[in-house]
């Protein structure tokens, strides 16, 4: 801004200055030559355009920077909340996993014990099975044997009671 003021003052005085004239102006000129300052604004006009462009660019940049900062802050806040939630979730899942692994170990040991008991029971069953299962004797033969056994037991009872065996 100061540079523009200095340049405007300089060019205002330059139009009146005759220090660089080496000879008097020819008679053709009606007035002293003051350059082409008034036509397009020259250097001062160009600097004013540059200054206004820079001011606009600076305002746009500051607005964009503020928006980006706000977006970044929102993202960071959301990320911290998300990270905290996920960390808590990890802790809960880790604890649950440990509990489940411990329960699995207990259940496997219970299964091994139960399997040993089952194996022992099956072995005992296999040991008892031949004495309980039919050894080739038919139903009629078993009934006949049972009746004979009952008769012999009744006879033994009579002998013990002192009855005659007539």
């Amino acid at each position: 801004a100061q540079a523009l003021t200095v340049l405007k003052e300089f060019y205002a005085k330059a139009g009146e200055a005759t220090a660089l004239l080496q000879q008097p102006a020819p008679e053709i000129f009606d007035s002293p030559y003051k350059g082409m300052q008034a036509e397009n604004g020259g250097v001062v006009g160009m600097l004013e355009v540059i200054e206004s462009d820079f001011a606009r660019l600076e305002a746009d940049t500051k607005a964009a920077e503020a928006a980006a900062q706000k977006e970044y802050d929102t993202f960071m806040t959301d990320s911290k909340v998300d990270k905290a939630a996920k960390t808590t979730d990890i802790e809960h899942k880790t604890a649950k996993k440990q509990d489940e692994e411990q329960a699995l170990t207990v259940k496997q040991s219970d299964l091994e014990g139960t399997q040993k008991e089952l194996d022992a029971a099956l072995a005992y069953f296999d040991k008892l099975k031949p004495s309980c299962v039919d050894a080739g004797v038919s139903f009629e033969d078993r009934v006949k044997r049972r009746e004979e056994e009952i008769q012999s037991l009744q006879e033994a009872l009579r002998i013990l009671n002192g009855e005659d065996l007539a």
Side-chain angles (χ1 to χ4, degrees), residues 3-8 10-11 36-51:
L4 284 175
T5 308
V6 170
L7 284 174
K8 285 180 183 177
F10 173 77
Y11 284 117
M36 299 174 63
Q37 296 174 21
E39 293 209 9
N40 288 327
V43 173
V44 174
M46 185 172 70
L47 286 176
E48 287 173 346
V49 169
I50 290 173
E51 183 183 28

Side-chain angles (χ1 to χ4, degrees), residues 25-59:
E27 297 176 9
I28 313 175
F29 294 113
D30 299 334
S31 62
Y33 180 70
K34 296 185 180 186
M36 299 174 63
Q37 296 174 21
E39 293 209 9
N40 288 327
V43 173
V44 174
M46 185 172 70
L47 286 176
E48 287 173 346
V49 169
I50 290 173
E51 183 183 28
S52 67
D53 287 350
F54 180 76
R56 188 181 76 252
L57 179 64
E58 182 181 23

Side-chain angles (χ1 to χ4, degrees), residues 10 13-25 32-34:
F10 173 77
K13 292 179 185 175
E16 302 169 2
T18 57
L20 296 177
L21 292 178
Q22 296 181 6
Q23 55 188 348
Y33 180 70
K34 296 185 180 186

